[in-house]
Amino acid sequence: MADRRDVLRMGVLAAGIVTPAVAATPALAGPRLERDGRDRDRRRARPLVIGHRGASGYRPEHTLASYELAARMGADFIEPDLVSTKDGVLVARHEPEIGGTTDVAARPEFAARRRTVLLDGVPVTGWFTHDFTLAELKTLRAVERLPQVRQRNTLYDGLFTIPTFQEVLDLRARLSKELGRRIGVYPETKHPTYFRDLGLDLETPLARVLRRNDLDHSGAPVFVQSFEAGNLRALRAEHRLRVPLIFLTAAAGNPFNDPRSYADYLTPAGLRELSAFVAGIGPEKNQIIPRRPDGTLGSPTSLVGDAHDAGLALHPYTFRAENQFLPVDFRVTNDPNAYGRAIDEQITFLRAGIDGLFTDQPDIGVLARSLAFAAAEDA
Ligand code: G3P
Ligand code: CA
């Protein structure tokens, strides 16, 4: 019987995302053929390039323009973070708080909506999607979240609306036809317990929208991700979602309202338990290759091997080209906002055995992947 990873790979292969020549896993390929590392490399599925919040290195995040650019740059998947409006519609925003990613603060008609909420136990002040109907949110315009880092992206401030999840799926369908390949969608449920407590559960509309778009089956080009294991369990057991699920992990702490830490989940035993309901994990990249105390890139942990042994894929986050996000030894100048050796960083992680990566600059991810594979062929 195929294990979870085989199912995941078959689903991705059926989605047309994996090159057939390199897609077979040992379980699918029959007797082991490898004579050396090159054979193993050829059989591994091609790692996925996931456009993190679209192509957020080049456009304000979570806008249709950002997702479209990611697809045109070659991303296999586009990644919307999902939150709910007051009237229960899923929209793409990084957080329920929208003061930093829209022009809401400049809208006098919404000034009274500013308030403080307890978000996963942390007080947060601002404007929240769940205080706005979809019609009201649609009057807002997106702005660059990191204007000091990505000043060029402020060129697009005020041009784009907040997209609904349905609009992201419509874009995905249109671009898949136009580009002649199936673009995948990789939604994340943001703060699912928080939204459930507000009476706005994310799971029900997520399952409904996926099914309405014929995207809830094992061959669909979809992953659903969450930082809450309980949310993923519910999506599988109660909502009967059939697409592969990915458990996101942080370098420290616990999922909200969960006595188990992320570190507990990442032990070999924890990974085996996870494999009962998820197809993979999305670790913070430093959990795969930590940095040394001086900020340079250290040696890989056992996480790739441990996860693969449990039948789980790994899609770490977040690869960004600017120096400030890179290990010290991959930085090029003292300008924190200038680009460093991001291609080399990604090649290093790809060679460590990851199965995909979230990146703000999908064009760099595509290039790094091609170079990493070319290097394996030449070895
Ligand atoms: O979903 C992968 C990555 O995006 C998780 O972190 O906070 O950027 O959504 P965040
Ligand atoms: Ca995300």
Side-chain angles (χ1 to χ4, degrees), residues 259-329:
R260 300 181 65 182
S261 68
Y262 288 112
D264 292 335
Y265 280 108
L266 295 184
T267 62
L271 290 165
R272 275 196 302 277
E273 280 178 46
L274 280 174
S275 71
F277 61 99
V278 305
I281 56 173
E284 203 279 322
K285 65 182 180 180
N286 292 338
Q287 295 179 284
I288 292 178
I289 311 182
R291 297 184 191 182
R292 299 187 185 95
D294 66 358
T296 59
L297 197 62
S299 302
T301 66
S302 63
L303 185 56
V304 168
D306 292 346
H308 285 172
D309 285 348
L312 298 174
L314 295 99
H315 298 162
Y317 65 91
T318 301
F319 290 86
R320 298 178 161 119
E322 293 90 352
N323 281 317
Q324 65 185 284
F325 303 116
L326 292 168
V328 165
D329 44 339

Side-chain angles (χ1 to χ4, degrees), residues 52-53 79 81 94-95 188 190 225 227 248 317-318 320 358:
H52 186 242
R53 312 179 195 173
E79 192 235 4
D81 293 333
H94 177 50
E95 287 289 332
E188 178 185 350
K190 302 294 290 202
Q225 45 166 338
F227 277 105
L248 299 169
Y317 65 91
T318 301
R320 298 178 161 119
F358 289 88

